[in-house]
């Protein structure tokens, strides 16, 4: 997204992606009203909504066996009053296809950043591994948008604060049938959670487990995992046996962390590279996009004429840090108190806050606003060379 926006402003941009395509399953599918609003502002919304996707206007969850409406997006002050679910590879292919319209945009696939280059303390470029050997690319600014295992962040020696997360997620597919129930936010049971994402002909399932327990779960056998899944979503009973090999089940480790400084001279980290997000609330993609917009708004004008100063880069962190802090604090709370991956000893009744959401529909607008728009939504102010 930041590549798209800077190229749109006429700034020469090279986006380096280490894989040969964007086809990976682990990054979530949710595109929220805040991001859809940005697509509208860019004039891309109509075409975006023509891509295969699902629209969810109300999020429901099954909590200790009871279906509870949690968030109502239909009253949001945005053009799209729904969340879309779209596989992230489709979204990234869509964005990069549009970015390629700009003459100053280049996307280089199978280009893996393996190191940074420095001139004294200023970052001046990256060393890149490609199928044709290694090369060095120099730039006025390196933007580390390389996710939660960021090499850019590590090589720059930026200090990271980790907020312990007690969960991991096991990720797998189970086929879907026409008469299955509609997609919900998830199935919660006394501290445990099963998420089912509707991918047309199959369910992408995420099952929350206590951190570090995957080997123990494997030792208990596939039958036990299948039984656990059926315990959450009984309608999967007739096909859970599709999970007949551990190769079909992937472990995704969950982290929440944040850099103390998101930048140094010549380099800025954004998205998960600056602040790794957990899947809780499905907000990480949208927060990363908000960072991209703030970056373009604050830096495009400067980069049109030359390098950005360290003070300019710090302005991005100053703008984006507090929304990130608020969302991460919420995620940490959810993992420590609500979804821990372990069976809690609390009663299996409906917690009070969910009863309130059930009784008073107006309250469902609060989580809708937090999830759908979030604190400090960004809008485009960056110049356009179009
Ligand atoms: C299990 C799980 C489920 C999640 N579900 C959701 C969800 O439903 N909704 C949501 O909004 N968020 C979700 N999140 C959070 C979300 O995935 C992240 O917050 C979001 O993807 C961050 O975007 P990003 O662009 O910063 O990083 P990423 O999406 O991780 O993108 C980084 C990119 O950089 C590339 N890359 C990495 N290293 C290099 C390198 N050295 N050289 C070149 N390229 C490199 C990667 O291949 C990748 O394409 C989930 C997270 C987890 C762990």
């Amino acid at each position: 997204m930041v590549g798209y926006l800077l190229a749109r402003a006429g700034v020469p941009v090279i986006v380096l992606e280490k894989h040969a395509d964007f086809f990976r399953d682990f990054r979530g599918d949710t595109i929220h009203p805040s991001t859809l609003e940005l697509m509208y502002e860019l004039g891309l919304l109509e075409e975006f909504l023509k891509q295969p996707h699902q629209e969810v206007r109300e999020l429901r969850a099954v909590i200790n066996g009871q279906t509870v409406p949690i968030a109502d997006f239909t009253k949001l002050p945005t053009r799209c009053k729904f969340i879309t679910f779209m596989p992230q590879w489709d979204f990234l292919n869509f964005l990069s296809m549009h970015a390629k319209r700009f003459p100053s945009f280049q996307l280089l696939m199978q280009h893996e950043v393996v190191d940074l280059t420095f001139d004294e303390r200023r970052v001046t470029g990256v060393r890149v591994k490609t199928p044709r050997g290694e090369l060095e690319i120099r730039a006025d600014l390196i933007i580390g948008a390389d996710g939660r295992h960021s090499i850019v962040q590590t090589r720059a020696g930026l200090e990271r604060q980790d907020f312990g997360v007690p969960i991991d997620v096991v990720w797998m597919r189970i086929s879907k049938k026409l008469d299955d129930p509609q997609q919900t936010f998830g199935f919660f049971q006394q501290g445990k959670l099963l998420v089912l994402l509707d991918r047309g002909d199959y369910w992408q399932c995420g099952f929350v487990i206590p951190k570090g327990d995957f080997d123990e779960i494997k030792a208990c056998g596939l039958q036990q995992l299948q039984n656990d899944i059926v315990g959450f979503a009984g309608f999967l009973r007739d096909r859970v046996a599709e999970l007949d090999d551990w190769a079909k089940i992937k472990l995704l480790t969950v982290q929440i962390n944040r850099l103390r400084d998101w930048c140094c001279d010549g380099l800025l980290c954004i998205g998960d590279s600056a602040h790794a997000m957990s899947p809780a609330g499905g907000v990480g993609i949208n927060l990363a996009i908000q960072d991209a917009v703030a970056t373009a708004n604050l830096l495009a004008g400067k980069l049109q004429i030359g390098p950005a100063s360290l003070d300019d880069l710090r302005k991005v962190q100053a703008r984006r840090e507090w929304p990130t802090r608020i969302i991460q604090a919420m995620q940490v709370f959810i993992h420590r108190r609500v979804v821990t991956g372990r069976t809690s000893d609390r009663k299996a009744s409906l917690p009070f806050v969910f009863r309130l959401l059930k009784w008073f529909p107006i309250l469902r607008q609060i989580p809708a606003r937090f999830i759908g728009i979030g604190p400090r939504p960004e809008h485009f102010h960056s110049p356009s060379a179009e």
Side-chain angles (χ1 to χ4, degrees):
M1 177 60 101
V2 75
Y4 175 100
L5 292 174
L6 291 177
R8 174 175 172 267
V11 177
V13 182
I14 304 177
V15 175
L16 304 171
E17 167 55 53
K18 69 176 172 185
H19 292 104
D21 54 41
F22 293 122
F23 194 78
R24 265 163 315 283
D25 243 353
F26 65 94
R27 297 194 219 126
D29 288 359
T30 56
I31 312 285
H32 290 198
S34 59
T35 301
L36 295 169
E37 194 73 4
L38 294 168
M39 300 308 275
Y40 172 79
E41 290 173 17
L42 284 172
L44 298 177
L45 182 64
E46 205 179 316
E47 203 183 328
F48 175 82
L49 292 176
K50 287 185 187 148
Q51 313 302 308
H53 69 278
Q54 283 97 39
E55 295 177 5
V56 173
R57 287 173 170 72
E58 183 190 67
L59 277 186
R60 275 167 288 123
V62 180
I63 299 173
N64 296 335
Q66 297 193 48
T67 303
V68 188
I70 294 209
D72 173 8
F73 298 102
T74 60
K75 310 281 183 316
L76 286 182
T78 45
R79 243 149 230 99
C80 296
K81 297 175 193 307
F82 49 82
I83 285 187
T84 62
F85 283 79
M86 181 185 286
Q88 203 180 122
W89 54 88
D90 286 343
F91 180 49
L92 291 174
N93 283 332
F94 176 83
L95 264 188
S96 55
M97 179 186 82
H98 281 278
K100 284 176 191 160
R101 290 194 338 245
F102 303 121
S104 66
F105 181 86
Q106 264 191 80
L107 170 62
L108 303 180
M109 305 302 284
Q110 288 182 287
H111 278 59
E112 179 178 0
V113 173
V114 288
D115 211 345
L116 300 175
T117 58
F118 293 84
D119 182 0
E120 300 199 345
R121 296 186 64 193
R122 184 180 168 82
V123 177
T124 52
V126 283
R127 294 209 59 77
V128 186
K129 199 168 92 189
T130 79
R132 292 167 304 286
E134 263 195 32
L135 55 93
E136 184 184 329
I137 299 178
R138 292 175 72 85
D140 281 347
L141 176 64
I142 303 298
I143 299 181
D146 50 343
R148 60 210 172 102
H149 305 295
S150 169
I151 182 102
V152 168
Q153 170 212 108
T154 317
R155 298 291 163 162
L158 297 172
E159 192 191 335
R160 202 173 76 185
Q161 300 165 269
D162 276 281
F163 308 99
V165 179
I167 63 152
D168 284 328
V169 179
V170 286
W171 211 235
M172 55 241 152
R173 293 176 178 196
I174 299 180
S175 60
K176 191 168 160 273
K177 291 193 174 166
L178 280 177
D179 54 355
D180 281 351
Q182 275 186 328
Q183 176 158 296
T184 68
F185 198 41
F187 295 78
F188 296 81
Q189 264 177 37
Q190 291 178 286
K192 296 187 149 203
L193 168 64
L194 174 74
V195 174
L196 297 181
L197 297 178
D198 182 351
R199 287 259 178 87
D201 55 350
Y202 66 92
W203 292 107
Q204 181 73 55
C205 314
F207 189 49
V208 173
I209 62 167
K211 192 167 259 326
D213 274 13
F214 190 47
D215 285 340
E216 209 175 293
I217 286 171
K218 276 175 130 173
C220 293
L222 275 170
Q223 181 75 51
Q224 182 61 49
L225 179 68
Q226 293 172 3
N227 292 345
D228 284 349
I229 291 173
V230 171
F232 282 78
F235 66 95
L236 296 175
R237 186 181 307 278
D238 58 349
R239 49 213 125 122
V240 75
E242 291 168 10
L243 301 173
D244 54 3
D245 189 332
W246 286 105
K248 295 182 179 172
I249 296 155
K250 300 200 175 64
L251 172 71
L252 298 173
T253 54
V254 177
Q255 318 167 3
I256 302 180
N257 61 45
R258 190 167 63 240
L259 295 181
R260 217 173 277 281
D261 291 310
W262 297 15
C263 53
C264 59
D265 206 6
L267 179 136
L268 170 70
C269 289
I270 59 171
D272 269 22
S273 168
H275 47 74
M277 306 301 290
S278 113
V283 291
I285 296 166
N286 302 277
L287 194 68
I289 287 175
Q290 300 283 316
D291 286 359
V293 173
T295 303
N297 284 346
L298 289 161
L299 302 183
K302 315 258 176 199
L303 293 169
Q304 280 171 335
I305 46 178
S309 70
L310 185 53
D311 278 347
D312 293 329
L313 304 184
R314 285 196 181 115
K315 285 184 188 145
V316 177
Q317 176 174 357
R319 170 120 196 124
R320 295 304 311 157
E321 187 165 359
W322 79 253
T324 307
R325 277 174 180 263
I326 292 174
I327 295 174
Q328 287 188 323
M330 193 67 102
Q331 292 191 325
V332 169
F333 173 80
I334 289 172
H335 291 317
R336 295 202 181 143
R337 304 296 300 275
V338 187
V339 179
T340 58
R342 293 187 190 280
T343 307
S344 73
D345 47 14
R346 292 195 196 156
K347 277 194 286 174
S349 58
L350 198 58
F352 184 63
V353 64
F354 294 108
R355 282 188 219 184
L356 287 177
L357 289 169
K358 206 169 176 178
W359 294 332
F360 303 107
I362 196 164
L363 294 180
R364 296 173 208 157
Q365 291 176 36
I366 301 169
R369 202 169 172 115
F370 192 77
I371 297 170
I373 302 180
R376 188 177 263 175
E378 301 290 346
H379 297 276
F380 294 115
H381 309 302
S382 47
S384 167
E386 281 183 291

